[in-house]
Amino acid sequence: MDADGHDFCCSGCRAVYSLLQESGLSTYYELEKRPGTKVGPAQSDEWRSEVFDIPQVQDRLISFREGGMARVTFTVPQMHCSSCIWLLENLDRVEPAIMRSRVRFGEKSLSITYRDDHIGLRGVVELLRRIGYGPRIVNGEEDAGKRRIPRDLYVRLGVAAFAFGNIMLFSFPEYLGATDQDHTLRRGFQWLSLVFALPVVLYAAAGFFRSAWTGIRAGTTNIDQPIALGIIALFGRSLYEVVSGVGPGYFDSLAGLVFFLLVGHWYRSFVYGSLSFDRSLNDFLPLVVMRKRGQQEEAVRVDELDVGDQLIVRDQELVPVDGLLIDGPASIDNSFITGEPLPVIKVPGDQIAAGGRQRGGSITVQVVRTFKESQLKRLWEEHGSNESDRPVMGRLVDKVARRFIFFVLAVAGASGLFWAGRDPAMVLPVITAVLIVACPCALALSMPFTYGHVTRLLGKRGLFLREAEVVERMADVDTLVLDKTGTLTEREAHVLRFTGPPLSASEQSRIRSLVAQSAHPLSQAIYQGSNATLCTVSDFKEHAGSGLEGVVDGCRVRMGSHAFVDVDERHEGQVQVLMDGIHRGAFLIAKRPRPGMQAVLRALGRRYPLHLLTGDVSVDQEVAECFDRERTHVRCTPAMKASTVERMGSEGKRVMMVGDGLNDAGALHRSHVGVTLCESTVALTPASDAILDAGRSDLLPGALLLARKARSIVFTSLVLSLLYNVIGLSYAVTGALTPLIAAILMPLSSVTVVGFVTMAVRYAASRSLPDDRQDGR
């Protein structure tokens, strides 16, 4: 598309350009030298604009309203650079009724204050959609399931940082070798260090003590137990030295230890804090539904529907309850529930199960079961996001900690026995010195920083992991199970093949002209698959569930099922074509494989056995050739998928399941690693361990390779940290551990390990992952 001598990739970009030009904001295009993100078509599951005129919806979304002024906050996933921020914060120059707009880029949120009597909530939403920044609306609960960094963590980190800096300052006389002439100054600084260390131990480090005690009560070992033991030994020894006047203690090392550990906790929370994996079924339901009362419609919540109520379901809307079709016909897409890619035609009197999506005109459905009793609700509860019955996998760092704590206690005991025979006065100092220097600060930092970097690098490319332990489980995967519809194939794009003699140009025009009159998905697939010219259609009729007929360019054309066209069932194809009583052939319509999917499957198949579980009755040749016949399973129900994955797990296999719909939820839940392929932030997808951008399926082979390399990096960093512990222990067991050596060893080991894993992960990612094609997105 072109305008004013410029080329545009889509109507959305052209609309933004026109809007900016009209408002005198042409400098927008000078802020970003690289091409921007291509604006895709509007999401099919966006809420209709008129919904935002309903008072119940406005009450949920508007946070403030008074004196003709209102404020609303939206999540806008499309913002990605300074240009986006600039445009969104200048909405008042685009629309005078906007009083103020402010962006919080980290949370992708946009707060808008506007004149309610001039533009209204509907006008605000339409403005954002028009410029390509349509807000995400999730049942009016924007932050449901979103994990935020606890405020208490920031406070504890601040306390530890403040104490660490000041105690280091108070310790300078000891570092510089203060003489006895400065005794009063030294003692004052030592007592000040003790005072500053108290909030570090009693407040900032309290989480480590709680975790260690929880592990002891449960009879398990975790990394926080040796850390808590080291903190207690460090504080006890330092307290004794200061109170008795025999030394300055190790308060600087204590504060530094807690500070670095809390930095590791903050980094882990920061990496995962903006991602939402636990999703409620309510997140996918309409904000309101339109209940029909006589000739009137009223907006009600889904849980307010009763048996016998009639509701209006419009194009692209989800059917929220099990119902009976009253007014139709309906074209129901059940791919999220059953996995079957093609819509099912329903006629008045047919049952419609909850979870299907209407494609076409509006229909009227009578409720036969309430939402709480619906098939969708039962399926979600059966295969939901509850992790309580999932086998718990021990973390690598906890396994190391179990051996490490016994080793440290053994060394401390042996050192105590050795010094008991030589110099009993050295027993307590040596034992506490061993516990101090062996505190696994670097050990505790290696895994969160390694897996945190892996998660961040994968997230930048489109694969979002729930938590660090997912990287560990990915490294253990030895079997892959994949769904077909929506996972290996695209949801909307179709591949057309005509069986029969080639069609002439005039015949192609007749066919395209006839299907253009219908909103049925198969008709639209045929229409979009041709560029023939359109002709005038007369005497058009659409027979629900059967086919179409009409007179096009003087020729009577009938298209539809075998029975409708009256041809033998042996003719393959979903849409048979009859012209003036002559059978011309049929259209075979299949979902199009995702670009590059075959290359991805071949790469995965070189290392892992691949299994295909699909609800389809058959598998297209392009997909089937990537799987062994005995590992291809068709007509799979959700329960069959779940039981198959569960059986593989009981056989000792570590299964990664890749799916996209609610029909895959049970299998995702029972797999070692569950990956949900997602095309939209509001798509009906189950909870999982990871969310993969549908356009970045090429990441899977590299991500699995990077996970294995990350585990090797963790092992190497553990060896590095243990090497520091050995060096420190060599000083400790001889009684030669001075405050200066302790102050150098502990932070140095932490900084070295963090620096090593950062560089190692970056190098491993550059060798494992495909080139980041998101430049300019």
Side-chain angles (χ1 to χ4, degrees), residues 609-612 623-633:
L610 302 180
H611 297 259
L612 180 66
V623 175
E625 64 186 20
C626 298
F627 295 86
D628 294 337
R629 184 179 297 272
E630 62 273 13
R631 293 174 180 165
T632 302
H633 309 276

Side-chain angles (χ1 to χ4, degrees), residues 548-577:
L548 317 169
E549 64 175 321
V551 178
V552 187
D553 197 21
C555 175
R556 176 158 289 279
V557 182
R558 289 170 64 89
M559 299 177 62
S561 65
H562 293 80
F564 179 73
V565 178
D566 194 21
V567 298
D568 196 287
E569 292 282 349
R570 288 176 295 180
H571 292 286
E572 63 176 345
Q574 295 103 327
V575 182
Q576 304 292 322
V577 180

Side-chain angles (χ1 to χ4, degrees), residues 464-482:
F464 307 96
L465 306 184
R466 173 191 286 270
E467 55 193 357
E469 283 72 15
V470 175
V471 182
E472 282 193 38
R473 295 205 296 269
M474 286 175 62
D476 290 327
V477 166
D478 56 21
T479 304
L480 260 72
V481 176
L482 300 101

Side-chain angles (χ1 to χ4, degrees), residues 15 65 206 216 220 253 271 309 329 332 397 438 459 604 724:
R65 175 186 278 167
I216 293 172
T220 60
S253 298
V271 169
D309 285 347
I332 304 298
V397 72
L604 292 171
Y724 274 101

Side-chain angles (χ1 to χ4, degrees), residues 390-408:
R390 188 173 192 168
V392 177
M393 173 188 163
R395 296 189 306 165
L396 172 64
V397 72
D398 289 337
K399 295 176 183 177
V400 174
R402 187 177 303 115
R403 294 170 174 80
F404 182 78
I405 193 170
F406 289 123
F407 171 74
V408 170

Side-chain angles (χ1 to χ4, degrees), residues 319-461:
V319 180
V321 293
D322 296 336
L324 188 72
L325 182 61
I326 301 298
D327 183 22
S331 176
I332 304 298
D333 178 1
N334 287 318
S335 58
F336 284 122
I337 308 301
T338 65
E340 179 59 40
L342 297 177
V344 178
I345 300 300
K346 300 286 186 179
V347 296
D350 287 348
Q351 295 274 349
I352 298 180
R357 190 179 297 280
Q358 162 65 357
R359 294 183 179 272
S362 63
I363 59 175
T364 303
V365 177
Q366 181 175 317
V367 179
V368 297
R369 275 187 292 270
T370 62
F371 169 67
K372 293 181 180 179
E373 300 171 344
S374 68
Q375 174 185 336
L376 179 63
K377 180 73 170 177
R378 292 197 304 271
L379 185 61
W380 184 273
E381 291 177 343
E382 181 182 355
H383 303 309
S385 59
N386 181 17
E387 296 287 329
S388 60
D389 58 342
R390 188 173 192 168
V392 177
M393 173 188 163
R395 296 189 306 165
L396 172 64
V397 72
D398 289 337
K399 295 176 183 177
V400 174
R402 187 177 303 115
R403 294 170 174 80
F404 182 78
I405 193 170
F406 289 123
F407 171 74
V408 170
L409 293 175
V411 172
S415 301
L417 291 175
F418 173 79
W419 283 102
R422 296 191 58 179
D423 186 357
M426 290 291 294
V427 172
L428 186 60
V430 168
I431 290 178
T432 54
V434 169
L435 296 177
I436 289 169
V437 78
C439 184
C441 178
L443 192 68
L445 289 175
S446 61
M447 193 186 80
F449 272 88
T450 301
Y451 292 158
H453 281 304
V454 170
T455 302
R456 184 177 59 83
L457 292 172
L458 290 176
K460 287 177 63 178
R461 290 165 169 81

Side-chain angles (χ1 to χ4, degrees), residues 124-192:
V124 172
V125 174
E126 288 178 341
L127 171 65
L128 292 174
R129 287 177 175 175
R130 193 164 68 249
I131 65 175
Y133 294 95
R136 186 191 72 175
I137 308 294
V138 184
N139 206 5
E141 299 172 3
E142 290 289 330
D143 296 323
K146 192 172 181 179
R147 296 179 289 177
R148 296 186 178 276
I149 301 176
R151 183 175 180 273
D152 178 66
L153 178 57
Y154 282 112
V155 177
R156 289 188 288 125
L157 187 59
V159 169
F162 178 76
F164 180 39
N166 283 279
I167 294 174
M168 288 285 287
L169 184 63
F170 298 151
S171 301
F172 263 90
E174 305 295 339
Y175 300 157
L176 301 177
T179 63
D180 292 338
Q181 296 177 351
D182 305 315
H183 177 72
T184 302
L185 183 63
R186 290 173 59 192
R187 290 292 291 164
F189 281 151
Q190 290 170 10
W191 280 100
L192 280 174

